[in-house]
């Protein structure tokens, strides 16, 4: 896939499939904070985007394999990932939180996960966090490639809890997902746009310049408000 010469001004950008409010589809139209922000930055900096919505783990791998130039997918900036990717300036603060099925009063803390099953999304910081505490609290983990499948696992009762980024949980619950949070969010990492380490430095620089411009001109806030402004 890397053999095909690319138009200098067009970049393949990988993203997640369903990660509202950052990327999701409504009536076949892809939208979300990541999508709108990246499109605004591209317009401002004068480059074209070829979107490739692959799912989170697949998007990460596509960049590593050179099949995509960059990834914007609510991707947390972590020290471990910095060994493989170069990250942009951060653009959204996040962190991990546990959620259980709405109305479930059996799980109020991590202690209540003992002997139970927990759902996570493959390759995410939520999965990594669950992995890091599973022995301490004695729970098992089931992995899913897609957030919707992970949520269904909990609403159908196969797993008692999931670990997901709190802005995504808050948005989902507000939109009617049958979930509730019962614990405080964990300290977390902010989101960044990423390219493969040492590659596409020009693209990364354009992202940072365009992000700063979007913040200075109010475009960034307009995009965030489009999805997160409360109606009240
Ligand atoms: N922020 C999380 C991570 O980087 C999850 C991203 C996602 O699921 N799209 O691992």
């Amino acid at each position: 896939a890397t053999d095909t010469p690319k138009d200098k001004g067009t970049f393949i950008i990988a993203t997640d499939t369903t990660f509202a409010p950052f990327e999701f589809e409504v009536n076949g139209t892809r939208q979300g904070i990541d999508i709108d922000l990246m499109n605004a930055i591209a317009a401002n900096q004068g480059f074209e985007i070829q979107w490739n919505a692959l799912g989170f783990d697949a998007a990460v791998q596509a960049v590593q394999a050179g099949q995509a130039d960059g990834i914007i997918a609510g991707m947390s900036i972590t020290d471990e990932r910095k060994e493989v990717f170069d990250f942009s300036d951060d653009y959204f603060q996040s962190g991990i939180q546990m959620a259980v099925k709405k109305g479930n009063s059996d799980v109020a803390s991590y202690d209540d996960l003992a002997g139970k099953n927990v759902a996570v999304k493959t390759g995410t910081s939520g999965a990594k966090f669950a992995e890091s505490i599973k022995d301490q609290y004695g729970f098992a983990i089931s992995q899913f490639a897609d957030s919707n499948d992970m949520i269904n696992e909990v609403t159908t009762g196969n797993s008692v809890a999931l670990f997901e980024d709190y802005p995504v949980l808050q948005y989902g619950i507000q939109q009617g997902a049958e979930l509730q949070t019962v614990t405080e969010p964990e300290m977390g990492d902010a989101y960044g746009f990423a390219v493969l380490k040492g590659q596409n430095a020009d693209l990364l620089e354009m992202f940072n310049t365009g992000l700063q411009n979007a913040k200075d001109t109010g475009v960034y806030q307009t995009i965030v408000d489009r999805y997160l402004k409360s109606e009240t």
Side-chain angles (χ1 to χ4, degrees):
T2 47
D3 294 342
T4 321
K6 275 191 298 277
D7 184 322
K8 195 176 157 220
T10 302
F11 296 93
I12 301 171
I13 306 299
T15 188
D16 202 346
T17 46
T18 310
F19 198 60
F22 296 94
E23 45 267 344
F24 57 111
E25 241 181 61
V26 177
N27 301 324
T29 304
R30 186 158 306 284
Q31 54 177 266
I33 294 170
D34 286 349
I35 307 298
D36 294 3
L37 180 62
M38 194 76 204
N39 283 335
I41 289 171
N44 175 256
Q45 296 292 301
F47 64 90
E48 303 286 326
I49 297 170
Q50 190 183 320
W51 286 105
N52 203 354
L54 297 165
F56 183 70
D57 198 45
V60 169
Q61 287 179 36
V63 176
Q64 285 191 257
Q67 292 162 348
D69 296 301
I71 170 172
I72 188 161
M75 184 175 180
S76 307
I77 303 171
T78 67
D79 286 341
E80 192 184 6
R81 287 176 179 161
K82 278 185 193 165
E83 290 175 14
V84 182
F85 298 97
D86 289 329
F87 281 97
S88 70
D89 297 335
D90 63 88
Y91 65 87
F92 203 94
Q93 187 56 47
S94 189
I96 293 150
Q97 195 169 15
M98 181 172 79
V100 300
K101 185 176 177 171
K102 195 173 181 176
N104 178 358
S105 50
D106 296 337
V107 178
S109 72
Y110 300 159
D111 286 316
D112 297 324
L113 299 175
K116 304 268 169 55
N117 207 55
V118 164
V120 300
K121 190 160 122 191
T122 309
T124 62
S125 36
K128 202 173 161 64
F129 177 72
E131 202 64 50
S132 76
I133 62 165
K134 82 171 181 93
D135 290 341
Q136 185 187 347
Y137 293 101
F139 60 83
I141 292 175
S142 295
Q143 304 217 20
F144 298 88
D146 187 86
S147 286
N148 282 341
D149 293 337
M150 173 179 69
I151 292 167
N152 286 341
E153 171 82 358
V154 173
T155 54
T156 57
N158 290 331
S159 289
V160 292
L162 58 81
F163 286 92
E164 175 65 287
D165 293 2
Y166 66 76
V168 171
L169 278 179
Q170 277 170 13
Y171 183 85
I173 289 168
Q174 189 201 320
Q175 296 291 310
E178 263 187 276
L179 298 173
Q180 65 186 28
T181 53
V182 287
T183 50
E184 291 300 311
E186 297 290 337
M187 282 283 292
D189 300 298
Y191 296 157
F193 167 73
V195 295
L196 193 59
K197 201 173 178 68
Q199 306 286 319
N200 278 308
D202 46 351
L203 176 60
L204 195 60
E205 195 181 324
M206 285 194 287
F207 185 94
N208 282 335
T209 308
L211 175 62
Q212 190 58 53
N213 178 269
K215 285 186 171 172
D216 294 344
T217 55
V219 165
Y220 173 87
Q221 199 55 48
T222 302
I223 290 170
V224 169
D225 288 350
R226 189 174 295 153
Y227 298 98
L228 297 182
K229 199 163 187 168
S230 76
E231 306 285 319
T232 53

